[in-house]
């Protein structure tokens, strides 16, 4: 009886092996995926090689998997298993957030597409899916932007330049706008026109010539209030004459007083025109602050848990200077309480009369929470079950 059972088991195993080997490629399951999946979704104008050749199991597990879509591993790792030459490149310079987070499928269809590059939609449609703050057209719109040609100026994955530009801004503008044409468009300009985005919005604006919508009053009235002569630089003192409040803020113990011998104001602000009253050189604080604090933003973007709305740096920090650590707008605990008032009643002791035994400094929310991100829930600095508490409470 035992011999008969073993023989029967062996025959079943051999039969299963024959069925498996009879499948295309020898090692693939003898199952037609298209019995359940619409074949038309895999036969669009631009095919992805594994899908077009029916090699479903190069990416998917047929039975069960740890990853959504029955994928064999994380999407990013799966893509780099074939596109390995891009992995190192996509880790250098300015990396587009979806690329850094491994969200290849946010833009690309993994099977087939009617768009070049296996894109899910046209290039401009994909960009507007995330960049919802940008209008699709302006009263005066830059021609490439109006045509949805975002990749005329920007690289989609990574770049050595800010804002993922193909080249540095001056060289990029010069691709279409010759020096002679630029000079003719700026009659009476005291020097060779440069730094185009100091006055122009590269996408569009309500003003002719795509001049940014909000003009700096001295610029609107003329140049002589700031510029005293050809070749004479406009130093920071000229700015502070009109903005004494900023001068007072920069005198704080923690400040952004940089490049005093030149003009540190123009590191963040345009002296001529901007998209809002702050005259920021870029529309988002993230782009302004990220020019110097890129590592901070990278840490947040790569962390599993982080404080929300970090792009609005000025919600918590004073941009010019403050007498509080990290240039906070107020005493750190009070800054947190502005949004987290419910913690006042039951929070861990914090404030003036509570001291951290590790540093001797007052305990604030930041003693336990890292706003820019950690791998622990509520972005705590350690595992809240043990690791977070023991450094201060070893007796427990």
């Amino acid at each position: 009886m035992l011999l008969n059972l073993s023989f029967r088991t062996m025959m079943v195993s051999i039969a299963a092996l024959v069925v498996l080997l009879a499948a295309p490629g020898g090692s693939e399951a003898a199952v037609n995926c298209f019995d359940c999946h619409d074949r038309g979704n895999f036969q669009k104008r631009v095919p992805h090689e594994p899908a077009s050749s029916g090699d479903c199991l190069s990416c998917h597990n047929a039975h069960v998997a740890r990853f959504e879509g029955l994928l064999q591993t994380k999407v990013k790792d799966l893509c780099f298993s074939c596109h390995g030459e891009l992995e190192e490149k996509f880790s250098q310079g300015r990396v587009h957030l979806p690329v850094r987070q491994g969200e290849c499928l946010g833009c690309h269809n993994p099977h087939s597409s009617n768009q070049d590059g296996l894109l899910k939609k046209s290039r401009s449609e994909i960009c507007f899916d995330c960049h919802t703050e940008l209008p699709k057209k302006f009263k005066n719109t830059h021609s490439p932007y109006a045509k949805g040609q975002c990749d005329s100026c920007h690289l989609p994955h990574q770049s050595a330049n800010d804002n993922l530009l193909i080249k540095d801004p001056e060289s990029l503008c010069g691709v279409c706008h010759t020096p002679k044409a630029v000079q003719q468009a700026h009659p009476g300009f005291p020097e060779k026109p440069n730094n185009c985005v100091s006055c122009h919005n590269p996408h569009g604006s309500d003003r002719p010539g795509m001049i940014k919508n909000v003009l700096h009053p001295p610029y609107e009235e003329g140049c002589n209030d700031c510029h005293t002569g050809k070749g004479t630089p406009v130093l920071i003192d000229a700015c502070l004459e009109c903005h004494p409040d900023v001068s007072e803020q920069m005198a704080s113990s923690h400040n952004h007083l940089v490049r005093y011998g030149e003009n540190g104001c123009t590191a963040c602000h345009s002296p001529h025109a901007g998209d809002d009253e702050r005259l920021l050189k870029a529309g988002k604080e993230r782009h302004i602050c990220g020019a110097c604090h890129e590592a901070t933003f990278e840490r947040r973007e790569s962390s599993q848990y982080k404080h929300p709305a970090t792009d609005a740096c000025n919600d918590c920090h004073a941009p010019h200077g403050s007498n509080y650590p990290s240039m906070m707008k107020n005493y750190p605990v009070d800054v947190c309480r502005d949004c987290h008032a419910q913690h006042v009643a039951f929070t861990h002791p914090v404030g003036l009369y509570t001291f951290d035994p590790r540093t001797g400094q007052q305990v604030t929310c930041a003693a336990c929470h890292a706003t820019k991100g950690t791998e622990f829930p509520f972005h705590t600095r350690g595992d809240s079950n043990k690791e977070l508490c023991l450094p201060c409470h070893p007796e427990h």
Side-chain angles (χ1 to χ4, degrees), residues 75-93:
V75 171
K76 179 176 71 171
D77 296 336
L78 201 55
C79 295
F80 285 143
S81 67
C82 290
H83 302 284
E85 75 282 0
L86 298 176
E87 184 170 11
E88 182 177 356
K89 180 180 179 181
F90 288 174
S91 65
Q92 300 173 355

Side-chain angles (χ1 to χ4, degrees), residues 34 37-52 59-60 71 75 78-79 83 103-122 126 129 157:
F34 298 127
H37 299 279
D38 184 358
R39 187 184 295 270
N41 292 330
F42 300 81
Q43 295 180 328
K44 297 178 181 178
R45 183 176 68 84
V46 181
H48 194 198
E49 172 58 31
S52 63
C59 297
H60 301 276
L71 292 178
V75 171
L78 201 55
C79 295
H83 302 284
E103 297 176 355
C104 309
L105 302 187
C107 298
H108 299 279
N109 190 311
H111 301 119
S112 70
S113 172
N114 289 322
Q115 305 287 337
D116 291 341
L118 288 169
L119 292 178
K120 289 183 170 181
K121 306 176 183 178
S122 69
I126 286 179
D129 279 349
H157 299 112

Side-chain angles (χ1 to χ4, degrees), residues 114-237:
N114 289 322
Q115 305 287 337
D116 291 341
L118 288 169
L119 292 178
K120 289 183 170 181
K121 306 176 183 178
S122 69
R123 295 177 186 273
S124 61
E125 287 179 308
I126 286 179
C127 296
F128 285 125
D129 279 349
C130 293
H131 297 282
T132 55
E133 77 284 358
L134 292 174
K136 293 190 176 181
K137 65 178 181 179
F138 299 82
K139 185 176 180 180
N140 296 284
T141 308
H142 198 195
S143 177
Y145 187 90
K147 296 176 182 177
Q149 297 172 344
C150 306
D151 55 349
S152 293
C153 300
H154 302 278
L155 292 169
H157 299 112
Q158 64 84 231
S159 170
N161 302 296
D162 289 341
N163 299 315
L164 296 173
L165 291 177
I166 293 174
K167 300 181 178 183
D168 67 90
E170 299 310 312
S171 300
L172 182 59
C173 296
V175 171
C176 297
H177 303 280
T178 64
K180 182 178 180 180
V182 172
Q183 191 68 55
Q184 290 175 344
H186 296 78
F189 204 77
E191 298 183 1
K192 176 184 176 182
N194 59 11
N195 192 16
C196 309
V197 294
S198 178
C199 298
H200 301 278
N201 186 312
H203 298 134
S205 79
D206 293 338
R207 296 180 179 275
M210 299 191 306
I211 297 293
K212 292 180 179 179
N213 290 329
V214 180
L215 304 183
H216 192 199
Y219 169 74
E220 188 173 14
E221 296 169 3
C223 304
N224 293 335
D225 281 353
C226 299
H227 296 278
T228 57
K230 184 176 181 179
T232 302
V234 179
L235 302 179
I236 189 173
D237 301 287

